[in-house]
Amino acid sequence: MTTVAETAPTTTGAALFAASRAELAAALTTVGMAVSPRPAVPVLAGVLLESDGTDLMVRGYDFETAVSVRLEGAAVAPGRLLVNHAELSKLLKALVKGLSKREADRARVRVRAEDAASATVEVAGTTVPLELLPLEDYPDLPAEPPLLARADRTHLAGECQRVLRACGSDDTLPMLAGVKLDPGPDGLTLATTDRYRIAVGHVGAHVEEERIPADGVLAPGRLVGRVLAKLDADQVRIGHAAEGLTEVVSLAAGAVTVVMRTIPAEFPAYSRFLPHSAAATVVADRAALLAQITRAAAVLEAKGHRANPVMVTVADGAVTAAPQLAEGTDRVRTPALEADVTGIDEPLCVGLGPRFVVDALESFTGQTVTLHLQAPTKPVLLTDTPKGISDPTAFRHLLMPIRLS
């Protein structure tokens, strides 16, 4: 795999860089995504400070993820130091105790190499020693792979957060912990599933069509969400490369570049589970329906019936949500919510997991939400509008039903 180039060794006694405490602390927090607090290899607890004489690169790597943050104009002299990430992060907090937040953030941080085994860090006039880790033991970091697509950061981050609500966390099924990225000529489709629900979103993007992988890209879902939250430039560069058994995907914007290994597993063929038509369609006020389902979920919690579903009943011109209790369900009364209902001749009731349906409704932002129903034992699809069921660029959230007793 291509690796980042090395810079010259650090000159003993020379300051490697000078940066504000706030920007260095922020860089260390971002790089911390790739630094294990208890690594199997001791040097992986380190953060690599790499200077070309102009800019400072702050890097972390854990063999799965490599994070680099560029601090422009922060370098004083070319060189490389490997320091303990946790120690430097804690010292940046300790050395500004007693200062106001404004003074602490603006304080200058200088790191100097004293000899081959030690360095010093100076903040607000105080200098303390800083232990160095052996550079020769630190692994080569992967370089940013070739460009696959460019997308608007705000749109990509927002759509990713929507689909991540359905991302799994079962360690025995690693493919369910991923977000599937399917690039196409019209943009990028994102999908997640935990077996009980499927969320699919779409982002307009400029895609390098000749580089589209046949099976898409399966990236670590939660990590992608955390990375996108750290990016602050308008555009995100999405890179991808597959060399032998190693496949990586990258997200880069502004000063931050993250290269991560993909998940080596086959993601479910989610598109075959998404319906393109429905027997019944319900358009309801999203906030009102969410409030009623939230109350029903709270009743189930209070009664100790956490595993029970919420019953969503659709009738002519109305929808209701009520908890299914162990006993006395027939005595539960909830107000009917006005809805635009089509395709129903008699009441239809479907059971849904309380947490899942709340997650689904919260992932939408419009005033109304559309439920597409087939039968009590068939999945329920949620979209923004009735036409969303047949629109491949629309956000869709599919919920598996719970059989009602």
Side-chain angles (χ1 to χ4, degrees), residues 21 28 88 94 102 109 146 154 178 194 203 207 234 278 332 338 351 360 394:
R21 193 200 72 89
L28 289 172
L88 182 56
R102 183 178 181 183
V109 180
T154 301
D194 60 2
V203 178
V207 178
D234 292 337
V332 175
E338 184 178 346

Side-chain angles (χ1 to χ4, degrees), residues 66-320:
V67 181
S68 299
V69 180
R70 181 184 298 275
L71 301 184
E72 292 187 0
V76 174
R80 308 170 80 223
L81 293 175
L82 185 64
V83 303
N84 185 280
H85 178 272
E87 181 185 23
L88 182 56
S89 299
K90 291 176 182 178
L91 284 174
L92 291 185
K93 295 179 181 179
L95 291 172
V96 293
K97 289 293 184 182
L99 299 181
S100 67
K101 184 180 186 305
R102 183 178 181 183
E103 290 174 326
D105 286 345
R106 296 175 63 181
R108 302 298 289 176
V109 180
R110 291 177 176 83
V111 172
R112 289 182 173 86
E114 298 300 321
D115 53 45
S118 67
T120 60
V121 56
E122 176 192 341
V123 184
T126 301
T127 301
V128 296
L130 189 63
E131 182 184 359
L132 295 182
L133 299 174
L135 263 173
E136 62 274 13
D137 294 340
Y138 199 67
D140 293 331
L141 278 71
E144 182 180 353
L147 181 68
L148 174 61
R150 291 181 185 272
D152 178 80
R153 179 191 60 84
T154 301
H155 191 190
L156 179 60
E159 203 72 356
C160 186
Q161 289 303 319
R162 296 176 86 182
V163 302
L164 283 179
R165 288 178 179 269
C167 190
S169 58
D170 188 341
D171 292 338
T172 65
L173 297 169
M175 73 289 291
L176 302 185
V179 55
K180 183 69 178 301
L181 307 177
D182 282 323
D186 59 345
L188 190 66
T189 298
L190 299 81
T192 61
T193 182
D194 60 2
R195 293 183 296 173
Y196 307 106
R197 48 192 172 165
I198 300 172
V200 180
H202 184 84
V203 178
H206 174 75
V207 178
E208 302 293 328
E209 294 188 34
E210 70 280 2
R211 299 205 65 255
I212 295 178
D215 298 321
V217 178
L218 185 57
R222 303 300 177 190
L223 178 59
V224 169
R226 291 172 62 198
V227 170
L228 289 173
K230 295 292 184 181
L231 304 181
D232 58 5
D234 292 337
Q235 291 283 311
V236 177
R237 302 188 308 275
I238 303 168
H240 174 260
E243 300 178 10
L245 298 177
T246 302
E247 183 181 10
V248 296
V249 61
S250 67
L251 297 171
V256 179
T257 300
V258 180
V259 181
M260 64 195 90
R261 291 184 184 271
T262 59
I263 298 175
E266 184 178 353
F267 193 74
Y270 61 90
S271 58
R272 68 187 180 93
F273 295 102
L274 299 173
H276 298 287
S277 61
T281 300
V282 181
V283 181
D285 183 278
R286 186 182 66 87
L289 182 59
L290 175 59
Q292 191 167 105
I293 290 176
T294 301
R295 284 194 294 272
V299 170
L300 290 172
E301 178 80 18
K303 298 282 283 184
H305 303 159
R306 299 176 184 175
N308 286 22
V310 169
M311 302 182 300
V312 177
T313 303
V314 180
D316 186 24
V319 59
T320 60

Side-chain angles (χ1 to χ4, degrees), residues 357-374:
V357 69
V358 167
D359 273 350
L361 289 170
E362 287 181 343
S363 66
F364 290 85
T365 58
Q367 182 176 346
T368 62
V369 66
T370 301
L371 282 68
H372 306 269
L373 303 101
Q374 308 286 355

Side-chain angles (χ1 to χ4, degrees), residues 30-36 44 46 60-63 65-67 138 223 226:
T30 299
V31 167
M33 291 187 291
V35 179
S36 173
L44 295 184
Y61 186 41
D62 63 1
F63 288 123
T65 306
V67 181
Y138 199 67
L223 178 59
R226 291 172 62 198

